[in-house]
Amino acid sequence: MEVQRKTIAKFIAAAFVLNLVVMGAGAWFAYQEAPPIPDEITGPDGATVVTDEQIRDGKKAFQRDGLMNHGSILGNGAYYGADYTADTLDLKTEYMRQYYARERYGDDYTALESSEQAAIDDVVRQDLDDKYDGGDIQYSAAELFAHKQVREEYVERYHEGSHERGVPVEMIDSEADARKFADFALWTAWFSHTDRPDGDHSYTNEWPYAPGAGNDATAAAMTWSVIAMVLLVGAAGFGIWLYRSVELPEPSADGLSVPEPSEVEIFPSQRAALRFIPVAAGLFLAQVLLGGLLAHFYIERAGFFGIEEIFGVHILQMLPFAIAKTWHIDLGILWIAATWLGAGLFLPPLLTGHEPKRQSTYIDGLLGAIVVVTVGGLGGIWLGSHGYFGDLWWVFGNEGLEYLEVGKIWQVGLLAGFGIWAVLSIRGLKPLLDEEPVFGLGHMILYAGGSIALLFTAGFLFTPDTNIAVTEFWRWWVVHMWVEGAFEFFIVAIVGLTLVSMNLLSRRSAEKAVMLQALLVMGTGVIGVSHHYWWVGMPDMWIPIGSAFSTLELIPLVFILYEALGQYQAMSESGGFPYKLPFMFIIASGVWNFVGAGVLGFFINLPLINYYEHGTYLTVGHAHAAMFGAFGFLALGMVSYMLQLSIQPRRWDASWLRAAFWCWNVGLALMVFVSVLPVGFLQLETAFTQSYDAARSLAFYNQPIVQTLFWARLPGDTLIILGTVIYAADLVRKRFVLRQSADDPSVDDVAVADGVLNDD
């Protein structure tokens, strides 16, 4: 059947409204149903143990000192250290057992007979199996004893330091703040084992798995996992029918005039856009070098190949894991975003032959602003964590939330950068925007880029005083909706633009293909964020919603891969096609998108698996394959296309980029499949057979087999670093063979622009 572009646009609008309604209602419920912070926690005698202010101050210490990029809270964060929720719940259970053992039997718990231990285990579970009906929390004597012991353990660990755990000395500045951090972590442990009012399970749906505390997977996790599998099979059948029913022209080089690089004139604004590439490459190189250090931290918790023996100082003290991890994440986002912004400003002249006045100057200004924000943000992270900004650490320093680490002022700068980029893109695309309907190809790239900026605003809807469950609700709007929604939308839009600029698809055909794939992405990926709400204290409604939509996220990724393979086949059939290297990157992006976001994402997003897997190395494999594999390779593909057009044709040499391409692909495959995923499967088994805390413990990581698997990551990491070094070096040598830009460009200087503008 023939589906009009206008019809698809209407479905996209309907999907947008549905997403808005569901997520808007979810925001309201987030505030209504978040775990309560009691005014006071008291002991058996009514004396105050913890106040709400201490819990909030503990959350501030958690963010300010970067503890989310050392360990995790409610399963979210870094996996190097403990999960603080699971850790404090396990410690609380252990110390309560110790209290009852001494009170009832006058001996240590470990010295008791099995029958006596079983009796104490039952008493502890009964103590913890409580329901909250409002008001203050009253501890039993055993809970009070446990709370005080955990406080002192956290002072010893996070203030005094523990190099065995990879914790630098004075990671938390004072003993008082370390105790408050323990109060905050113990509060999350409390609502993980305390039943909701009028409910039969805890605020976190009984996560983490802790048999000693009575936490086990709920029936809903099993039921909705089965339903999700049924939905996947049904949706796959429907998707295949839909895709085969809608007539979409395939890209083809037959009978078309694919412009050679020598036929395309380069405009001043495109030369300016090229300057984003070396800046992004520098960030990329710094990121992979930090990634190698972070991987080694899992082997030598306080050292790096023995340099501490030579220089007498632990690298952990100079560059703590939390700081290195924060920079590693932020650099990854920044280099990909910078490359995409450059590509978005490079492509418009190819499509329009239009060069707005002073466009290149404005692009240079945008790049300068991005550099300032990048340096300020990364420097602020270090300064804020060292106390240089006082109470304004979260404004000018580091906000301390994974993927949203930089202070608010730098986040405002990034948002302003997106806004300037949108204005410059509109200026460059103006002839196309004026000629096409609101659902045209030029509009699509603006919608895709605009959605990235729009979702980023969710990061401004909370402060350090906000309840952690609500904070996580908004944080995942940015993180997940970027990855599964806006970024995927940008991928299909940018590939569509590239095909048109190569004269392989008509603009109208590309618009229809982009819109259909955008509809599938928007119809699944946005609401699919809800699988992140299962265990963080959000309402129960997210389990069925998250199960359904997270499962369906696989469908558009299959179609995107199918389209990419079809495009590559068309290119291969044309022996004279000049842009095979960019398409190698685009195909790699589609494959890794399917593997990382699709296969690995689907696997870990089944509720029953996610209950045990949440916050393990399986998530690390999913994240690296999806982020670098999908989005990184697309960015690098656009770089190769931009460079091929911008370099003197007779001086073009793709050999170094091709070598880097294979280093990256082989390295990523080795890292994910030889090291990261095997560790994740061992963690999954440990979580299932023992407890979640055991799977995240230092004892687990120190097992010989796990240490061997960490060492097995070295070849893959080395290849990725080598590929990045080759790439950076290639950019340096290509800098000296760039073409001169046209002094007075016009539409006649661009091989495809006239055809695009006249495509009706």
Side-chain angles (χ1 to χ4, degrees):
M1 64 179 175
E2 180 72 22
V3 178
Q4 300 297 319
R5 292 173 297 166
K6 186 179 295 185
T7 302
I8 303 176
K10 291 178 180 177
F11 279 111
I12 292 177
F16 176 79
V17 172
L18 174 64
N19 289 331
L20 188 64
V21 170
V22 173
M23 299 311 298
W28 185 83
F29 276 109
Y31 286 92
Q32 299 299 313
E33 302 294 329
I37 301 177
D39 292 337
E40 288 186 342
I41 299 176
T42 63
D45 58 357
T48 300
V49 181
V50 182
T51 66
D52 58 339
E53 183 179 359
Q54 287 173 296
I55 293 172
R56 290 187 174 91
D57 286 346
K59 179 175 180 282
K60 292 175 184 177
F62 161 73
Q63 291 182 225
R64 182 192 64 234
D65 295 318
L67 285 153
M68 195 175 196
N69 271 322
H70 185 274
S72 59
I73 197 79
L74 297 164
N76 294 323
Y79 310 145
Y80 177 67
D83 177 81
Y84 311 117
T85 303
D87 181 52
T88 52
L89 180 59
D90 185 72
L91 289 172
K92 183 177 180 178
T93 304
E94 176 186 327
Y95 284 123
M96 288 176 69
R97 287 171 174 169
Q98 189 75 348
Y99 176 87
Y100 281 121
R102 291 174 178 172
E103 180 195 53
R104 297 189 175 194
Y105 301 103
D107 208 343
D108 288 337
Y109 175 82
T110 54
L112 301 181
E113 299 289 338
S114 58
S115 59
E116 294 170 334
Q117 288 183 346
I120 287 176
D121 292 347
D122 186 57
V123 172
V124 170
R125 279 192 295 269
Q126 289 181 35
D127 260 9
L128 297 178
D129 186 19
D130 197 9
K131 186 185 295 291
Y132 181 70
D133 293 317
D136 294 340
I137 299 171
Q138 186 172 32
Y139 273 163
S140 66
E143 287 179 291
L144 175 61
F145 171 78
H147 191 109
K148 291 179 178 180
Q149 297 302 312
V150 174
R151 271 180 173 172
E152 296 314 306
E153 184 151 339
Y154 268 44
V155 168
E156 181 180 337
R157 189 188 300 178
Y158 296 108
H159 171 64
E160 297 175 8
S162 171
H163 281 189
E164 179 188 36
R165 293 179 174 273
V167 180
V169 176
E170 293 188 349
M171 184 172 188
I172 298 179
D173 291 339
S174 67
E175 292 186 13
D177 282 346
R179 292 189 180 94
K180 290 174 182 177
F181 170 55
D183 293 337
F184 165 67
L186 281 160
W187 169 69
T188 67
W190 169 80
F191 69 73
S192 77
H193 69 69
T194 300
D195 289 351
R196 287 181 178 272
D198 303 320
D200 59 357
H201 52 75
S202 73
Y203 287 89
T204 60
N205 289 300
E206 303 297 333
W207 189 93
Y209 178 53
N215 277 18
D216 203 347
T218 62
M222 169 61 81
T223 301
W224 285 101
S225 295
V226 174
I227 293 174
M229 293 296 294
V230 174
L231 282 174
L232 176 64
V233 176
F238 174 77
I240 293 171
W241 171 83
L242 176 65
Y243 211 74
R244 293 183 66 87
S245 299
V246 177
E247 297 180 14
L248 292 174
E250 295 289 339
S252 173
D254 296 338
L256 292 176
S257 176
V258 179
E260 295 285 340
S262 59
E263 300 172 4
V264 179
E265 200 68 54
I266 295 301
F267 292 11
S269 65
Q270 292 176 299
R271 282 294 301 268
L274 280 175
R275 297 185 187 107
F276 282 77
I277 294 176
V279 172
L283 300 177
F284 184 19
L285 182 59
Q287 188 215 4
V288 297
L289 291 174
L290 283 171
L293 173 64
L294 292 171
H296 193 76
F297 265 135
Y298 282 86
I299 300 168
E300 291 185 84
R301 290 257 159 179
F304 187 72
F305 293 103
I307 64 170
E308 69 278 4
E309 301 295 334
I310 300 173
F311 298 103
V313 60
H314 290 283
I315 192 171
L316 181 71
Q317 291 297 137
M318 296 187 295
L319 183 60
F321 182 94
I323 297 293
K325 171 74 163 27
T326 299
W327 284 343
H328 176 71
I329 290 176
D330 289 352
L331 287 167
I333 295 172
L334 287 167
W335 81 257
I336 291 173
T339 306
W340 283 6
L341 292 179
L345 295 170
F346 185 92
L347 288 174
L350 293 177
L351 304 172
T352 65
H354 176 59
E355 176 80 352
K357 291 182 179 180
R358 300 182 61 82
Q359 182 81 340
S360 60
T361 301
Y362 295 143
I363 291 175
D364 285 339
L366 173 60
L367 178 59
I370 290 175
V371 170
V372 170
V373 170
T374 298
V375 173
L378 296 179
I381 287 169
W382 190 89
L383 293 170
S385 66
H386 285 76
Y388 285 96
F389 296 117
D391 292 338
L392 295 178
W393 52 270
W394 61 284
V395 177
F396 298 105
N398 64 310
E399 193 169 13
L401 297 169
E402 191 180 33
Y403 292 100
L404 293 174
E405 287 90 354
V406 297
K408 292 292 189 189
I409 191 71
W410 309 113
Q411 292 179 30
V412 170
L414 291 172
L415 188 60
F418 276 115
I420 296 170
W421 174 85
V423 172
L424 295 178
S425 296
I426 290 171
R427 295 180 88 237
L429 291 167
K430 192 175 188 305
L432 185 58
L433 298 173
D434 290 343
E435 187 266 350
E436 69 180 13
V438 294
F439 48 78
L441 191 60
H443 286 79
M444 283 292 173
I445 192 68
L446 294 178
Y447 298 153
S451 64
I452 295 174
L454 180 63
L455 292 173
F456 192 59
T457 60
F460 296 93
L461 299 178
F462 53 82
T463 71
D465 287 308
T466 304
N467 187 304
I468 184 63
V470 177
T471 297
E472 285 297 279
F473 176 84
W474 291 120
R475 187 178 72 88
W476 281 113
W477 268 52
V478 179
V479 179
H480 181 102
M481 289 192 200
W482 265 4
V483 173
E484 302 294 348
F487 281 9
E488 298 287 357
F489 188 9
F490 196 91
I491 281 181
V492 296
I494 205 87
V495 170
L497 277 174
T498 305
L499 289 171
V500 172
S501 73
M502 292 177 178
N503 211 13
L504 294 171
L505 271 184
S506 70
R507 175 169 55 84
R508 292 169 62 88
S509 298
E511 286 169 356
K512 185 181 289 186
V514 169
M515 291 171 68
L516 181 61
Q517 294 184 38
L519 173 62
L520 293 172
V521 168
M522 185 175 293
T524 61
V526 175
I527 300 178
V529 68
S530 51
H531 68 256
H532 293 290
Y533 301 150
W534 293 341
W535 326 122
V536 299
M538 288 288 99
D540 301 349
M541 67 179 188
W542 290 118
I543 292 184
I545 295 173
S547 302
F549 283 90
S550 295
T551 299
L552 299 178
E553 287 175 7
L554 180 62
I555 304 302
L557 301 181
V558 173
F559 292 148
I560 290 172
L561 176 60
Y562 176 78
E563 281 292 291
L565 293 173
Q567 293 157 7
Y568 185 73
Q569 183 178 6
M571 304 311 104
S572 300
E573 292 172 355
S574 174
F577 182 68
Y579 305 110
K580 288 187 177 180
L581 181 61
F583 260 90
M584 287 172 62
F585 281 98
I586 291 173
I587 295 303
S589 171
V591 171
W592 282 110
N593 200 11
F594 173 71
V595 172
V599 176
L600 298 179
F602 165 75
F603 163 68
I604 67 175
N605 286 342
L606 288 172
L608 191 61
I609 294 177
N610 193 260
Y611 177 81
Y612 298 100
E613 177 281 332
H614 179 50
T616 68
Y617 251 60
L618 291 175
T619 302
V620 175
H622 156 66
H624 280 78
M627 190 68 184
F628 176 52
F631 308 128
F633 273 111
L634 176 67
L636 295 164
M638 296 312 303
V639 167
S640 65
Y641 181 49
M642 293 161 66
L643 288 174
Q644 190 169 355
L645 291 177
S646 305
I647 285 175
Q648 300 171 23
R650 62 185 179 82
R651 303 292 297 274
W652 170 249
D653 177 12
S655 60
W656 287 32
L657 276 175
R658 190 174 287 108
F661 171 86
W662 288 113
C663 284
W664 286 324
N665 274 281
V666 174
L668 183 59
L670 289 175
M671 181 184 75
V672 171
F673 296 109
V674 174
S675 175
V676 172
L677 288 183
V679 172
F681 282 117
L682 289 173
Q683 276 187 296
L684 182 63
E685 181 181 34
T686 301
F688 183 75
T689 56
Q690 298 179 44
S691 70
Y692 179 77
D693 183 66
R696 289 287 304 276
S697 67
L698 187 64
F700 172 84
Y701 286 132
N702 284 342
Q703 293 178 94
I705 186 173
V706 175
Q707 287 292 300
T708 300
L709 289 171
F710 283 149
W711 278 110
R713 182 171 167 171
L714 185 62
D717 284 357
T718 301
L719 281 174
I720 291 174
I721 293 171
L722 176 62
T724 310
V725 171
I726 293 172
Y727 168 63
D730 193 40
L731 291 182
V732 172
R733 72 180 190 130
K734 282 182 167 56
R735 170 66 183 83
F736 300 101
V737 293
L738 293 175
R739 299 161 60 185
Q740 294 297 315
S741 59
D743 294 327
D744 186 21
S746 68
V747 71
D748 296 331
D749 292 322
V750 182
V752 297
D754 185 57
V756 171
L757 293 176
N758 292 324
D759 177 21
D760 56 2

